[in-house]
Amino acid sequence: MKKRVSIKDVALHVGVSTALVSYVLNNKKEGRISKEAAAKIRQAAIDLNYVPNQIARSLKSQKTNTIGLIVADIANPFSSQIARIIEDEAQKNGYSVIFGSSDESADKTQNLIFLLLNRQVDGFIVALPENAEKQLNYLAGIDIPFVLFDRYYPEVETNFVAIDNYKAASQAVQHLMANGRKQIGIVTYQTGLHHLSERKRGATDLIQNTSLEVNVRIDHLKEDVDAGIDRLLKLDTPVDALFFTTNLLAISGLKYLNELGVKVPEQIAVVGFDETDAFDLFYSPVTYVKQPMEQLASQSLRLLLDAIDNPGAKQGVVIDTELVVRKSSVS
Amino acid sequence: MKKRVSIKDVALHVGVSTALVSYVLNNKKEGRISKEAAAKIRQAAIDLNYVPNQIARSLKSQKTNTIGLIVADIANPFSSQIARIIEDEAQKNGYSVIFGSSDESADKTQNLIFLLLNRQVDGFIVALPENAEKQLNYLAGIDIPFVLFDRYYPEVETNFVAIDNYKAASQAVQHLMANGRKQIGIVTYQTGLHHLSERKRGATDLIQNTSLEVNVRIDHLKEDVDAGIDRLLKLDTPVDALFFTTNLLAISGLKYLNELGVKVPEQIAVVGFDETDAFDLFYSPVTYVKQPMEQLASQSLRLLLDAIDNPGAKQGVVIDTELVVRKSSVS
DNA sequence: CTGAAAGCGCTTACAG
DNA sequence: CTGAAAGCGCTTACAG
């Protein structure tokens, strides 16, 4: 690779000091620099194809204008949609994004934190997995700006952005009840993740019947979803509705209902969580809880930039969801 | 934010030079450093919570161990799946990834290139949009390692990784023909993008009837897909099959076929491109051309790392696809 | 076995 | 209006 041209090359080319080049290119000391010198420097920068070295600038300024984004899995549409919005907003504010996927593992999260700290990110936006108190405390301990997003730990005071999961689930179940469903099954993950517990609680507070719960192990997704649905269908009073607390669970469940030949919504009404094309193409378009992605992402970034500019103050933002009602849940 | 601890702090704490700390922590000059000094330094690094500053190291070494990934849109499942695989492979090789979305715009691509060059990425993996010859030449001109991925410009000698688009489309159409379909419509984008032209050519070389082509404007997706399907259904001999050259086109088209109440595959057989959950949940699971994501991504990274280590030599990799046959195309 | 020193490419307080 | 110089946190050739 060719040697990249530095500020020194530009200075040499024009016959001025590097300081002057820096001032001109950064529009510092406006008006206190001769027009001619400024013009010559700008021209030389173009002629020589000068690209400022952000690495050197970062070392000096102690600021990289980079943020670290830790998601569960960038290949998951929820994460990648969020990433896209954060990317755009960050760019507008002069920031770049380095991302990493934790696979819901606290250890991988810790590794990513180290890796991103190495790279001197100015702050983090992170969706924390289960049992990550240690990582949370680490971040708080080194006193770096960060905001918890999607999931948060209510015991610890942090910046966070989340939806009202309890209310979202509650609305979904109320909707099913209002449409005459009596036996509503809930399919969720077996997990201590606060946001998922809240979704579960929002549903079960209304349902009050633990035999209608299916708790899926994340690493046995298909197996447990299928077995759970089998069980719910064979109850003395079989379920007439299913509420899935995530889109992966819903997709897996809908595939299985298809295999079984169960008709939606005639036999079973269905409500899912999150948007996906798959819900549109199902023969009865699927009712779902819509998360306001735009707000989730842009608020996360806003809180982080606030925290970078003004460490100390902690903000929490809770956003409402919307229930998009379609054919899968009304008969 | 607290001041981060530097190599100098560690040196001071132990009472040695920064040089020695650097040697120990980087396992340089093994065996030529006293066990005691080494042990004390390592312990101090842990006690003080030392995290090496990759920025400083990069400035010195002229290498950031960062790669720039430019995709069309990270929110698109194709891009995000690729990103995930590249992330994992990169991490294994000590690299981080900074990504950017071009939205199929040559100008945005150029901005991203500048932005990533600012950040001194060691190389690029880029899915180039249409009319980006200028950007391609720019990359080649500054002599930075890069590999074109998904799309390439056959006129220019570069590193590239792509699937055999012609063959993939050809197989799809042959499959429809083998299943007795006589009037096969092809829905594709109106574009000069090489990979899409190849898909189109692979289909039309077999079909030889331009009235069966629908050329969708990317910024009028739904409108043009719907109108195109309308037209194909009203031909004197209406189509009995549709081949969609991308997953977005297929999803849009399937939604419209649903609206019209057209039965798949009874009235119209369908083949799509790329994997998506939506294809699984369609009442007749959709036959599709499966791209080998794993290979595409990991080969791209491999070629880039090769190019970084050994500039000059150019490699091209073409990978075969697989047609996954399901109910939507067989009657 | 260890350290002083230069240098990566910038920025900026200071001096003139 | 402009420049010499220090310093950000590392690495490494050189000297001892």
Side-chain angles (χ1 to χ4, degrees), chain B residues 94-124:
Chain B
Y95 281 78
S96 290
V97 178
I98 305 187
F99 70 91
S101 304
S102 74
D103 286 323
E104 301 287 3
S105 147
D107 284 346
K108 280 199 189 180
T109 301
Q110 185 66 63
N111 286 341
L112 284 171
I113 291 173
F114 282 138
L115 192 143
L116 293 167
L117 281 177
N118 264 340
R119 290 171 187 273
Q120 310 297 117
V121 295
D122 296 332
F124 289 91

Side-chain angles (χ1 to χ4, degrees), chain A residues 168-229:
Chain A
S170 190
Q171 281 174 350
V173 172
Q174 279 169 21
H175 161 75
L176 287 167
M177 288 173 161
N179 278 271
R181 303 294 167 163
K182 311 276 184 225
Q183 283 284 99
I184 301 169
I186 162 166
V187 182
T188 185
Y189 284 118
Q190 185 183 76
T191 166
L193 277 172
H194 184 251
H195 73 302
L196 291 180
S197 324
E198 284 294 287
R199 288 183 197 171
K200 181 172 172 182
R201 204 168 58 84
T204 53
D205 275 2
L206 291 169
I207 294 172
Q208 309 264 14
N209 178 348
T210 51
S211 69
L212 294 176
E213 294 168 19
V214 173
N215 294 292
V216 172
R217 289 166 298 173
I218 201 160
D219 49 345
H220 292 72
L221 179 61
K222 180 175 166 41
E223 192 184 334
D224 287 1
V225 167
D226 292 3
I229 290 178

Side-chain angles (χ1 to χ4, degrees), chain A residues 3 7 22-23 26 28 50 57:
Chain A
K3 178 128 179 35
I7 209 171
S22 172
Y23 291 136
N26 292 302
K28 293 278 172 71
Y50 172 68
R57 179 181 287 171

